[in-house]
Amino acid sequence: MCRWLAYSGSPMLLDAVLYRPEHSLINQSLHARMGVETTNGDGFGIGWYSGNGDGTPAVFRDIAPAWNNRNLRELAAHVRSHLFFAHVRASTGSAVQQTNCHPFRHGRWLWMHNGAIADFHRLQRDLCLAVDPALFPYIEGSTDSEVMFYLAVTFGLDQDVPGAVARMAGLVERLGKEHGVEHPLQMTCAVSDGERVWAFRYSSQGASRSLFYSSRADTVRHLHPEVDFLREISDESRIVVSEPLGDLPGVWNELPEATYVVIPSTLEKDYLPFVPEFA
């Protein structure tokens, strides 16, 4: 399917996360270890917040493979951000076109997804009819991921992110069952408003795609004082990834099935339970 990462913390060059790690996202676009597909070459995208203007993030997407895109390498070496998304795509059947590349943007929101709505062609009409008519013209592509995003916006992303995603998941589950689809939803997804990142891991079957979050930077710094990179970032800096960017012990934690994580967070727990909400 796809591989993605979300970063929140001290401003840094995108290059530091996208290219430099041992098993960077760019490396994963060719040599994924935990994905359904080893190669994720059906396009890519990055989205980042600059902290200027109206809070709307910038987005750069292309249908070329990420591993040999000179423009991506150029941007990554010069763009610095406190919060950014990156995604490499392996299509599950929808067209390889720029409007189908993640992340998707609406206003201040960014969204990206790995997984699929099973038999999406059977559910697509009913799902699209549930999107707020005022939002429907903003759907540019043909993916299930983009429809999921606009359903979440419809269901109140501005007021309650976990609740909106839960209502979206509940609708997919309900319509799937009504159409005879045994396991309708498979998702790891991330959404951001430029201040926080919410990342979700859920599937109808209880066997979701992989998703990991990094330990607090101060914890990792204590474990690995020899890593220069860690001296430059705040304790709250975190990364959420489809698969770990390297093999340093104590850095990566697997997000459990049917949970979500928020970064930065003031919660005592690292993650919270996620349950679809049925209308």
Side-chain angles (χ1 to χ4, degrees):
M1 292 186 176
C2 306
R3 303 283 82 184
W4 60 257
L5 70 79
Y7 170 82
S8 174
S10 299
M12 69 165 58
L13 291 172
L14 276 60
D15 171 81
V17 175
L18 294 186
Y19 286 94
R20 296 183 199 173
E22 172 191 355
H23 190 50
S24 69
L25 190 70
I26 303 305
N27 177 271
Q28 291 176 32
S29 68
L30 262 176
H31 305 294
R33 299 170 182 171
M34 298 180 177
V36 175
E37 294 87 6
T38 301
T39 303
N40 299 274
D42 295 327
F44 69 86
I46 54 174
W48 69 94
Y49 295 86
S50 65
N52 299 323
D54 60 1
T56 301
V59 173
F60 171 59
R61 302 183 294 177
D62 201 336
I63 61 171
W67 63 78
N68 67 353
N69 190 282
R70 296 179 65 184
N71 289 328
L72 175 60
R73 184 176 287 277
E74 180 73 15
L75 279 173
H78 292 85
V79 171
R80 187 180 297 272
S81 175
H82 73 284
L83 197 160
F84 56 86
F85 282 8
H87 186 282
V88 291
R89 183 171 183 248
S91 172
T92 55
S94 54
V96 178
Q97 60 192 45
Q98 193 177 102
T99 53
N100 284 344
C101 294
H102 309 222
F104 301 101
R105 174 183 63 191
H106 181 75
R108 63 194 173 106
W109 294 101
L110 281 178
W111 168 278
M112 60 186 173
H113 167 239
N114 174 36
I117 295 176
D119 291 332
F120 178 57
H121 64 285
R122 296 169 58 188
L123 311 184
Q124 185 174 8
R125 178 179 180 275
D126 289 345
L127 290 171
C128 287
L129 286 173
V131 174
D132 185 329
L135 295 172
F136 188 79
Y138 294 102
I139 299 177
E140 297 183 311
S142 57
T143 65
D144 50 359
S145 303
E146 189 177 19
V147 173
M148 290 166 65
F149 176 34
Y150 280 98
L151 283 170
V153 178
T154 297
F155 294 149
L157 204 59
D158 276 320
Q159 292 78 40
D160 174 15
V161 172
V165 177
R167 288 186 282 276
M168 175 275 292
L171 177 65
V172 174
E173 293 276 25
R174 179 174 65 80
L175 290 176
K177 296 298 170 55
E178 289 177 3
H179 285 79
V181 180
E182 184 179 7
H183 302 299
L185 184 58
Q186 171 72 244
M187 74 172 195
T188 64
C189 61
V191 60
S192 180
D193 60 357
E195 296 181 5
R196 288 188 289 177
V197 174
W198 293 259
F200 301 82
R201 185 180 185 218
Y202 174 80
S203 66
S204 310
Q205 196 172 5
S208 301
R209 302 292 179 248
S210 58
L211 196 63
F212 297 80
Y213 63 95
S214 63
S215 299
R216 278 178 55 95
D218 53 347
T219 300
V220 181
R221 195 180 295 119
H222 176 74
L223 291 171
H224 303 283
E226 76 284 359
V227 180
D228 293 339
F229 163 76
L230 295 171
R231 299 175 194 150
E232 303 172 8
I233 61 176
S234 66
D235 293 345
E236 293 74 26
S237 298
R238 296 281 190 100
I239 306 177
V240 184
V241 292
S242 294
E243 57 186 77
L245 305 181
D247 299 320
L248 284 177
V251 176
W252 302 107
N253 311 279
E254 184 172 12
L255 190 65
E257 184 71 37
T259 62
Y260 72 94
V261 64
V262 186
I263 54 173
S265 174
T266 57
L267 300 173
E268 291 185 8
K269 293 185 176 181
D270 279 350
Y271 52 82
L272 296 169
F274 177 78
V275 180
E277 184 177 320
F278 297 91

